[in-house]
Amino acid sequence: METDKLIEMLARQAGPVERGAVGRRYGAALAAGAAGALLLMLAFLGIRPDLAQVARDPMFWVKLALPLALLAAALAAAMRLARPGARVGYAAEAALLPVAGIWALAAAALYSAAPGERMALVLGSTWSVCPFNIAMLSVPAFAAAFWAMRGLAPTRPAVAGAFSGLLAGSVGAAAYCLHCPEMAPPFLGTWYLLGMAIPAVAGALAGPRLLRW
Amino acid sequence: MSGREDHLKELLVRGLSGEAAAYAAFLKDLSAFLRAFLRGRLARVPDEVEDLVQETLLAVHNQRHTYDPAQPLTAWVHAIARYKMIDFLRRRAGREAMNDPLGDEDDLLATSDEEAREAKRDMAILLAKLPDRHRLPIQHVKIEGLSVAETAKLTGMSESAVKVGIHRGLKALSALIRG
């Protein structure tokens, strides 16, 4: 086919394009992913019974802020990675801030604890299930984030996949906060981050395969 | 350069709001820039340049909802063209790895026209053994020289089905040749 004919054909079938496609897709993906994570959490894990009391503890909100801050950074990075040629800017580095924050709190908690108690602060009582529960809760958001990205045009599929995965992981971790009894920063800085890293690594591996266009 | 950027951008923005004529003018101007850009980078395969121009135009068209008017148009188009070019070079490298490497120039001249015709005939027999979903993509893309997008339109298959068809079909063919 001649290029001019192709152009003619494309122009004829084009029609107006709605603005804000990227934002709308991510809005829908986030809503679906969050709803899926909450449903899975309610179905398999359940809300912690003392949630009303614990909500008065500032540490609960610090704990919730960790995944929410990562979610904001991952969302900003993913929305930029979805557009060809857009600068990712500091959105990617912004994900390091909440990590640095929780590690600082963890270091302070470990420093002030008696040497014999430090291991307990890191391991809590649920370390062996925490990362897997977070990864499990992030599955719906993982599918939704990849759905959103697949309808857009990432030119760096591995990076785009990694941030899609991190986005999903942070949604899963935020939902898990409503179930999880742990409150110690050393625990959060280890197992929560590990739980969110699982979908992020999976996303980086799946990106080149799933995000071709 | 910035004059071109502004001009193209204006055409695209008008096109995105539904003006077909402005959109056609955008694609037309863009195709000229793409041709020059790709020709400069694919000097070793001049025959493939126009295919890739069309593939890139199609990608620009399909992804036009990812353009943010606050973003420089040049950066957006360049990223798409580069992505499609790398994709093309990768596919090509994969294709060449499946074939025997060419010898030196003398070997090439030693092959006569007659043999080529015979080879084509044998190929037709082998091709006929393949199912349609493999045969048609190979016939249109590899033998008649259509682009993947055109083949997809012609056969009603999706583009990825065409690509997969070529890939699997070539594998099946080489299995047939090896017996």
Side-chain angles (χ1 to χ4, degrees), chain A residues 1-4 6-7 9-11 13-14 16-17 19 21 82-86 151-155 211-213, chain B residues 16-18 23-24 27-28 50 54 57-58 61 63-68 71 75-76 79-80 83-84 87 150 153:
Chain A
M1 189 194 272
E2 283 171 36
T3 304
D4 287 350
L6 175 73
I7 290 174
M9 195 187 73
L10 295 179
Q13 58 145 79
V17 171
R19 282 204 172 189
R83 295 179 192 275
L152 302 165
T155 52
L211 298 176
R212 290 170 56 89
W213 49 276
Chain B
L16 290 178
S17 68
Y23 189 56
L27 289 176
K28 180 96 182 107
E50 201 58 29
Q54 293 193 0
L57 280 177
L58 206 58
H61 173 76
Q63 304 296 350
R64 64 196 190 282
H65 60 290
T66 66
Y67 179 64
D68 173 5
Q71 188 190 351
W76 182 70
I80 294 178
Y83 179 79
K84 282 292 160 187
D87 189 45
E150 288 163 349
K153 284 214 189 68

Side-chain angles (χ1 to χ4, degrees), chain A:
Chain A
M1 189 194 272
E2 283 171 36
T3 304
D4 287 350
K5 288 222 181 85
L6 175 73
I7 290 174
E8 217 177 277
M9 195 187 73
L10 295 179
R12 223 180 309 122
Q13 58 145 79
V17 171
E18 268 186 272
R19 282 204 172 189
V22 176
R24 253 180 296 119
R25 274 189 99 80
Y26 273 99
L30 211 53
L38 287 173
L39 282 178
L40 282 180
M41 188 270 291
L42 290 173
F44 293 107
L45 304 171
I47 292 186
R48 59 185 285 181
D50 58 346
L51 187 67
Q53 293 139 37
V54 92
R56 269 178 248 132
D57 181 346
M59 191 53 218
F60 174 78
W61 298 100
V62 170
K63 173 174 143 178
L64 192 58
L66 171 67
L68 291 184
L70 281 168
L71 189 153
L75 182 64
M79 287 177 65
R80 293 177 193 196
L81 286 161
R83 295 179 192 275
R87 289 172 186 281
V88 179
Y90 292 112
E93 284 86 343
L96 296 175
L97 283 179
V99 175
I102 198 69
W103 281 353
L105 289 178
L110 289 175
Y111 181 77
S112 60
E117 293 167 6
R118 285 178 186 155
M119 210 55 193
L121 280 179
V122 174
L123 296 181
S125 55
T126 60
W127 67 274
S128 60
V129 292
C130 167
F132 303 104
N133 282 340
I134 289 177
M136 185 265 284
L137 294 183
S138 72
V139 168
F142 191 89
F146 267 77
W147 163 81
M149 195 60 103
R150 276 177 64 88
L152 302 165
T155 52
R156 293 155 71 191
V159 184
F163 278 100
S164 302
L166 181 62
L167 179 60
S170 60
V171 170
Y176 189 62
C177 281
L178 303 180
H179 161 81
C180 165
E182 308 286 350
M183 297 295 264
F187 182 94
L188 304 176
T190 312
W191 307 107
Y192 268 57
L193 293 184
L194 191 63
M196 292 185 268
I198 292 172
V201 170
L205 296 176
R209 228 164 244 276
L210 294 180
L211 298 176
R212 290 170 56 89
W213 49 276

